[in-house]
Amino acid sequence: MRKVVLITGASSGIGLALCKRLLAEDDELHLCLACRNMSKAEAVCAALLASHPTAEVTIVQVDVSNLQSVFQASKELKQRFQRLDCIYLNAGIMPNPQLNIKALFFGLFSRKVIHMFSTAEGLLTQGDKITADGLQEVFETNVFGHFILIRELEPLLCHSDNPSQLIWTSSRNARKSNFSLEDFQHSKGKEPYSSSKYATDLLSVALNRNFNQQGLYSNVACPGTALTNLTYGILPPFIWTLLMPAILLLRFFANAFTLTPYNGTEALVWLFHQKPESLNPLIKYLSATTGFGRNYIMTQKMDLDEDTAEKFYQKLLELEKHIRVTIQRTDNQARLSGSCL
């Protein structure tokens, strides 16, 4: 039986590179591309099948910043599949990133210059907005939409006799200082991306604590700095091209510069081939590239504690309950209005 792998954000960047690498290693997989833009997804699907005619590649439309879309996609997936072997929770946004020139300048002359370039700590701020669901957009897209997807797909994921895997695209930019349990949507801060990635790390730890006995395991990986639509939002492509000689030199000292989406998927692909029950849930797996272009995996103990992870998980369950009650009330009102016409 083919393994079924669901990948969110599969039509470009890390997600697309992941699809290509997985099929290059095993074209007997069934890849399901979970994408917002159907025309892009259909083009990617056709290209993948042309390169790997024995593979099975399908599409489901989902926008993880819209809970109705997540519920609809989950319903379709439960009709199509009896189980999912792996979900790559990869879709994410970093809206309107602003580079802090002052922090960059001072960082260049500090002892933390390599760390600064590896993690972008203190360099980036982003704008954020409220979605139709009344949530912060970065939080809903990067964290909560995926959380609801997992909750909805539990029947396909929880099989104690044959483990399933969740693999999150996290970041070296996940900073404890940017996250607060009291403001876990980061509505009052200026670094929602960093906060959302730290929230991802917490959620992964909590999911292991609550679902390992049911055969579901979760891990986080960082693709490093790869040139994708996300990074092109920070600086335009021509600036990255101008900076490339300096970046290639810097890569001898900072292995986070994976640069290509292919290189960035190193840790994500490696995780797929491991026995999930053998992996340490408190470790983040990092894609890294040497100055000579060789890819390898690094590990990093995450700066978090399991108690905070569990508290965050409970807050997400409370928010989920509130959302479901609101949706049910709205549906009931719509039925009443319809019956009165």
Side-chain angles (χ1 to χ4, degrees):
M1 183 180 292
R2 292 177 187 260
K3 279 192 170 184
V4 181
V5 180
L6 178 71
I7 303 176
T8 69
S11 62
S12 64
I14 296 297
L16 176 56
L18 189 54
C19 292
K20 292 177 179 178
R21 283 195 68 169
L22 289 173
L23 288 181
E25 294 182 7
D26 182 3
D27 60 6
E28 290 300 309
L29 290 176
H30 182 148
L31 289 190
C32 184
L33 317 182
C35 303
R36 180 177 55 183
N37 186 318
M38 286 300 282
S39 60
K40 284 178 67 176
E42 287 165 0
V44 166
C45 181
L48 291 172
L49 286 171
S51 302
H52 304 279
T54 61
E56 198 164 345
V57 184
T58 55
I59 303 168
V60 64
Q61 185 171 24
V62 62
D63 178 356
V64 285
S65 70
N66 183 304
L67 294 182
Q68 289 288 6
S69 174
V70 174
F71 288 131
Q72 180 59 38
S74 301
K75 182 179 177 181
E76 290 181 28
L77 290 166
K78 284 184 281 190
Q79 290 171 347
R80 290 190 210 175
F81 302 113
Q82 292 185 325
R83 67 168 279 123
L84 292 172
D85 294 278
C86 179
I87 303 181
Y88 279 100
L89 304 143
N90 168 72
I93 59 169
M94 184 196 289
N96 308 310
Q98 301 293 319
L99 187 62
N100 187 329
I101 301 299
K102 183 178 179 181
L104 175 62
F105 179 79
F106 283 110
L108 288 172
F109 300 97
S110 74
R111 285 188 236 171
K112 292 187 175 182
V113 60
I114 300 299
H115 174 78
M116 178 185 72
F117 278 114
S118 297
T119 65
E121 183 177 352
L123 291 184
L124 296 173
T125 59
Q126 302 93 38
D128 205 355
K129 62 182 181 181
I130 304 296
T131 67
D133 297 308
L135 305 173
Q136 295 294 134
E137 184 181 33
V138 176
F139 165 76
E140 182 169 6
T141 305
N142 296 2
V143 186
F144 194 64
H146 283 118
F147 172 71
I148 294 298
L149 185 67
I150 295 165
R151 294 277 292 157
E152 288 291 300
L153 296 178
E154 280 181 30
L156 306 186
L157 292 165
C158 296
H159 302 276
S160 56
D161 58 325
N162 193 4
S164 291
Q165 207 173 4
L166 303 173
I167 302 175
W168 297 82
T169 300
S170 182
S171 173
R172 289 169 171 84
N173 188 242
R175 312 303 304 175
K176 186 176 185 177
S177 58
N178 287 324
F179 178 84
S180 164
L181 276 175
E182 289 68 41
D183 182 28
F184 59 83
Q185 293 194 47
H186 204 74
S187 60
K188 299 173 184 175
K190 293 184 178 179
E191 297 189 47
Y193 181 80
S194 175
S195 175
S196 74
K197 292 305 178 181
Y198 189 80
T200 290
D201 296 349
L202 289 171
L203 179 53
S204 180
V205 169
L207 287 168
N208 281 305
R209 188 172 179 175
N210 286 276
F211 286 96
N212 279 180
Q213 289 188 340
Q214 298 176 55
L216 179 59
Y217 294 82
S218 180
N219 292 97
V220 292
C222 172
T225 303
L227 299 183
T228 65
N229 291 336
L230 205 78
T231 46
Y232 289 144
I234 301 169
L235 293 170
F238 80 93
I239 296 292
W240 286 106
T241 301
L242 292 174
L243 291 174
M244 193 55 63
I247 291 173
L248 290 173
L249 178 63
L250 188 62
R251 197 158 68 170
F252 283 94
F253 307 96
N255 51 28
F257 286 98
T258 51
L259 296 184
T260 69
Y262 179 95
N263 293 346
T265 62
E266 190 73 15
L268 292 109
V269 172
W270 180 84
L271 283 169
F272 179 69
H273 294 298
Q274 309 310 304
K275 290 184 177 180
E277 60 270 29
S278 70
L279 297 166
N280 187 337
L282 299 177
I283 291 291
K284 183 177 293 184
Y285 297 87
L286 314 175
S287 297
T289 305
T290 68
F292 295 104
R294 182 180 66 84
N295 296 324
Y296 64 105
I297 313 296
M298 289 181 61
T299 59
Q300 179 186 78
K301 191 174 187 307
M302 292 188 282
D303 182 22
L304 51 76
D305 63 85
E306 294 186 61
D307 183 53
T308 302
E310 184 63 26
K311 287 178 181 176
F312 176 56
Y313 179 70
Q314 293 302 321
K315 284 183 177 290
L316 292 184
L317 290 177
E318 290 170 13
L319 180 57
E320 177 193 2
K321 182 178 179 180
H322 170 74
I323 292 287
R324 290 185 186 277
V325 168
T326 301
I327 290 173
Q328 185 63 51
R329 187 182 299 126
T330 302
D331 288 347
N332 290 340
Q333 290 173 346
R335 289 194 196 97
L336 285 172
S337 298
S339 62
C340 293
L341 292 177

